Amino acid sequence: MGPNIITIERQIMDAQRRYPEARGAFSGLLSDVAFAAKVIAAHVNRAGLVDILGEAGGENVQGERVQKLDVYAHETLARIAGRSGHVCVMASEEWEQPVAIEPGYPCGRYVLVFDPLDGSSNIDVNISIGTIFSIFRRVTREGPGTLQDLLQGGYRQVAAGYVVYGSSTMFVYTAGTGVHGFTLDPSVGEFLLSHEDIRIPRQGRIYSVNDANLPLADPRVGAIVDQLRRGWEGHPPLTARYAGSLVADFHRNLLRGGVFLYPAVARHPGESPKPKLRLLYEAAPLAYIVDQAGGYASDGEGPILRREPRSLHERVPLFIGSVEDVQLIEGVLRGARALPGT
Ligand code: P6P
């Protein structure tokens, strides 16, 4: 008897059987997001050919208009999920306002927010990029969803996931019962279960930070990174890995153990430090995933999952990964812990 091949659709349906009252809307939405991921993956993997096929905004050899990949990814997700009948409103990194359901399509009980293609500056240099998504239940009663449905705290998520377009395309998600990873088999166009119940080591071996930002951040962050390099209190020294692509850096640290730091940074002298990464569709979904895998995500003061978003594109400092490393960082930044060795 060969290996037990489980597709993501099979795993979603098996999970639905645990909820007798489920009517299949949640499963349908998750499956639609997985389908959109396959469509985006097919396009992303041809990105290297864009010079032959024509620059974004230009025309390719077939005379078709070549779209910027992140716009293509946005339109693919918005169209597939928006016409699924499972969502009442969406939000996207690519769209300033809430993304309404097209007229003529039914509104559903869920809300989908996403970063359609994060790190798209890495496409031209062939570094892995990713899609991040998060699903909530709607809070308004009926009709088109509103900002109130979108601005929900991370602790209210019913599912979160990401797709990493790397040496292989992986779909990783949680719906509250652990974190599961699926690898795309392009020959059959299916995501096959490859990483069941991912757990992140309590202590990391890796730290991920843009070194150039440290002199522009709270000096305690630089002091902490110095300590991470040296190791402390029975914690071995960490090695540096930074792809400059959030999903790629997060995914590696989730599997290997590690901590990713993106503190608030003062981009110009005299300016107060400002965060870069987004709360609603970057930090909060990854925080839910890492929490379900036994890790932790902090904004430097407390759990990312407890933050109530005040606006769609609100930015937040992010310290995420192995629980002991993130708790040390948060403890020092809250003044609750002295830096070890001081
Ligand atoms: P920096 C990519 O542009 C991105 O939004 C994330 O994917 C990544 O983690 C971060 O910015 C990298 O930022 O300032 O280190 O280039």
Side-chain angles (χ1 to χ4, degrees):
M1 190 65 176
N4 192 8
I5 296 177
I6 299 176
T7 63
I8 190 165
E9 286 80 10
R10 155 71 48 237
Q11 203 256 6
I12 290 170
M13 290 318 294
D14 290 350
Q16 179 183 311
R17 270 191 264 287
R18 283 202 288 271
Y19 304 93
E21 77 289 352
R23 288 178 288 177
F26 178 70
S27 301
L29 176 55
L30 257 182
S31 299
D32 287 339
V33 174
F35 173 62
K38 291 179 197 173
V39 174
I40 295 168
H43 220 78
V44 163
N45 292 339
R46 287 162 51 86
L49 303 169
V50 74
D51 299 337
I52 304 165
L53 300 179
E55 275 300 309
E59 294 207 342
N60 62 20
V61 290
Q62 285 87 349
E64 297 152 349
R65 294 194 60 70
V66 177
Q67 283 184 312
K68 277 171 58 64
L69 272 177
D70 38 13
V71 172
Y72 177 84
H74 165 83
E75 292 187 355
T76 300
L77 262 166
R79 190 171 55 247
I80 291 172
R83 296 176 179 174
S84 69
H86 300 315
V87 296
C88 63
V89 68
M90 295 176 283
S92 167
E93 195 269 346
E94 288 288 323
W95 209 255
E96 188 55 35
Q97 298 304 322
V99 179
I101 302 310
E102 288 175 60
Y105 287 91
C107 278
R109 298 167 39 225
Y110 293 97
V111 171
L112 176 73
V113 301
F114 52 88
D115 185 355
L117 204 59
D118 176 73
S120 46
S121 58
N122 291 304
I123 294 173
D124 305 343
V125 293
N126 214 11
I127 283 181
S128 301
I129 49 182
T131 297
I132 309 171
F133 71 90
S134 168
I135 299 175
F136 296 93
R137 276 192 198 79
R138 70 178 302 169
V139 293
T140 56
R141 287 189 47 71
E142 60 199 349
T146 67
L147 209 49
Q148 190 189 350
D149 292 301
L150 291 165
L151 299 182
Q152 298 189 50
Y155 61 97
R156 296 174 60 87
Q157 292 177 87
V158 291
Y162 60 84
V163 188
V164 49
Y165 309 98
S167 39
S168 62
T169 297
M170 274 195 70
F171 188 101
V172 179
Y173 88 98
T174 183
T177 56
V179 180
H180 308 293
F182 299 80
T183 300
L184 184 64
D185 177 344
S187 66
V188 294
E190 287 288 358
F191 279 113
L192 306 182
L193 183 62
S194 54
H195 298 68
E196 186 163 13
D197 197 17
I198 299 173
R199 306 292 295 168
I200 184 170
R202 289 184 58 81
Q203 283 187 350
R205 292 282 175 281
I206 293 167
Y207 72 94
S208 307
V209 68
N210 181 339
D211 241 37
N213 288 338
L214 292 176
L216 311 170
D218 178 327
R220 291 174 300 170
V221 177
I224 293 167
V225 170
D226 274 344
Q227 195 67 57
L228 293 174
R229 288 192 186 103
R230 287 200 300 270
W232 78 93
E233 287 166 20
H235 191 301
L238 282 70
T239 191
R241 289 286 183 277
Y242 192 71
S245 181
L246 175 60
V247 174
D249 281 317
F250 176 80
H251 179 69
R252 179 202 53 238
N253 292 0
L254 179 72
L255 295 184
R256 290 275 164 73
V259 59
F260 174 95
L261 306 89
Y262 208 112
V265 171
R267 299 238 172 262
H268 307 293
E271 200 186 76
S272 62
K274 288 187 177 52
K276 173 176 186 181
L277 299 178
R278 313 289 190 165
L279 173 60
L280 192 63
Y281 41 74
E282 287 180 338
L286 297 184
Y288 184 29
I289 292 165
V290 84
D291 184 72
Q292 282 283 310
Y296 180 49
S298 171
D299 61 3
E301 288 156 21
I304 289 280
L305 288 180
R306 302 307 305 178
R307 291 244 338 201
E308 299 287 350
R310 292 183 302 272
S311 65
L312 281 187
H313 305 287
E314 178 176 341
R315 299 172 190 265
V316 66
L318 180 61
F319 306 95
I320 187 169
S322 294
V323 59
E324 291 189 20
D325 304 307
V326 180
Q327 282 177 342
L328 169 88
I329 294 167
E330 182 185 278
V332 170
L333 292 181
R334 285 182 51 196
R337 272 179 80 162
L339 245 189
T342 51

